[in-house]
Amino acid sequence: MNRSHSWTDYQERLSRVIAYVHEHLADDLSLEQLAEVAHLSPFHWHRTYHALYGETMAATIRRLRLHRASGYLANTQQPVARIAQLCGYPNAQSFTRAFRSAYGVAPMDYRARGGHVVFRAGLAQVQDAGYAVDIRHVPAVQLAGLPHRGAYMRIGQAFETSFACMAAQGLVRGDTRWLAVYHDDPAAVPEKQLRAWAGLSLPAGSSAVPPLEPRTLGGCMCAVLRHRGPYATMGAAYQWLYGHWLVQSGRDALDQPVFEEYLNNPRDTAPADLLTDICLPLR
């Protein structure tokens, strides 16, 4: 088998499993079942995945389920028992234990006092919580990635598939950067029609190979809000950035989409310690 064929085969296997996991988080997901999707033995599939992603498949499933749950808690009024069911937990008690272990608070406490509440409370509370907007030039970054259509909280599938493609092509480095573009306002566009794009930085001198698409972000002045905490809070942060900061700043937004850069890794970072730069291009 030549190297090009090896890349294609590897990408297809990983993409199948990534898609299956994201589409079936509410279901029972066993390692044997996922190995069958990948067409590998359970032993080899588990080792391959762990070596590539730096966490076990069980850890990935747990992280994705709780990530999805945090979005429901922050952005909907779904009862905790229903959220547990939607995220693959047998009952509210087991979900609450898992959520408290990862997020440090019970689900209802997160809903009542999470960072999304701070941003929705307005300007003074956000500043009191230690958030500030830094206006600076953000250098251009050359990226390769994939589009995402649908709920923004589910863009992880596009990131994971992009990562698998780049890793198979030998393009992932220790300093690889992860960035995303969110084109639409979730308050104005139906969830199924939301458009986003997930990409990873390319090493110097390399280029995107299909199915990856090339894109350049940055290269302009930006208002940068460094967000600390779960990704589920980001929607409220956007509302504050546009609805409070921008209208009071005297600045004009450039005709380019806002983008995010993820500064640490959710696989080895507690949700409360995740760092994200939200970059709003300015004229």
Side-chain angles (χ1 to χ4, degrees), residues 169-218:
Q169 298 170 24
L171 297 177
V172 176
R173 304 286 189 271
D175 60 353
T176 294
R177 298 163 66 181
W178 298 59
L179 290 88
V181 180
Y182 298 93
H183 293 282
D184 303 308
D185 180 357
V189 176
E191 185 176 89
K192 291 183 179 180
Q193 298 176 23
L194 292 172
R195 298 167 301 138
W197 188 88
L200 283 69
S201 61
L202 285 164
S206 61
S207 57
V209 177
L212 298 173
E213 302 173 355
R215 187 157 193 162
T216 301
L217 293 177

Side-chain angles (χ1 to χ4, degrees), residues 17 20-21 27-37 42 45 57-58 61 65:
V17 175
Y20 189 88
V21 168
D27 303 333
D28 181 29
L29 293 169
S30 68
L31 294 180
E32 292 75 14
Q33 184 180 19
L34 296 176
E36 184 176 340
V37 173
W45 164 245
M57 176 55 73
I61 294 170
R65 282 173 168 166

Side-chain angles (χ1 to χ4, degrees), residues 61-211:
I61 294 170
R62 180 169 59 251
R63 174 173 57 81
L64 291 177
R65 282 173 168 166
L66 293 175
H67 167 72
R68 186 167 296 182
S70 69
Y72 286 131
L73 289 166
N75 302 307
T76 78
Q77 292 302 313
Q78 294 265 23
V80 169
R82 175 59 177 159
I83 293 173
Q85 183 181 40
L86 290 171
C87 297
Y89 288 88
N91 51 60
Q93 291 75 22
S94 61
F95 165 62
T96 297
R97 287 193 298 271
F99 192 90
R100 189 194 299 274
S101 176
Y103 283 72
V105 295
M108 288 305 293
D109 290 335
Y110 174 76
R111 170 173 277 170
R113 292 187 288 275
H116 50 284
V117 178
V118 170
F119 282 106
R120 287 171 184 153
L123 185 63
Q125 287 85 349
V126 171
Q127 292 175 334
D128 290 343
Y131 289 99
V133 175
D134 179 27
I135 299 177
R136 56 183 168 87
H137 182 266
V138 176
V141 184
Q142 306 298 320
L143 303 153
L146 294 168
H148 168 73
R149 180 63 69 98
Y152 286 158
M153 286 291 288
R154 301 192 182 190
I155 196 174
Q157 181 175 342
F159 267 121
E160 302 289 354
T161 305
S162 298
F163 177 83
C165 292
M166 289 187 65
Q169 298 170 24
L171 297 177
V172 176
R173 304 286 189 271
D175 60 353
T176 294
R177 298 163 66 181
W178 298 59
L179 290 88
V181 180
Y182 298 93
H183 293 282
D184 303 308
D185 180 357
V189 176
E191 185 176 89
K192 291 183 179 180
Q193 298 176 23
L194 292 172
R195 298 167 301 138
W197 188 88
L200 283 69
S201 61
L202 285 164
S206 61
S207 57
V209 177

Side-chain angles (χ1 to χ4, degrees), residues 206-253:
S206 61
S207 57
V209 177
L212 298 173
E213 302 173 355
R215 187 157 193 162
T216 301
L217 293 177
C220 60
M221 293 297 295
C222 291
V224 182
L225 171 65
R226 178 154 295 180
H227 176 273
R228 186 184 189 98
Y231 298 140
T233 309
M234 223 74 76
Y238 272 73
Q239 290 177 337
W240 176 83
L241 186 62
Y242 278 96
H244 287 271
W245 183 86
L246 183 61
V247 298
Q248 297 180 29
S249 69
R251 305 298 295 257
D252 289 327

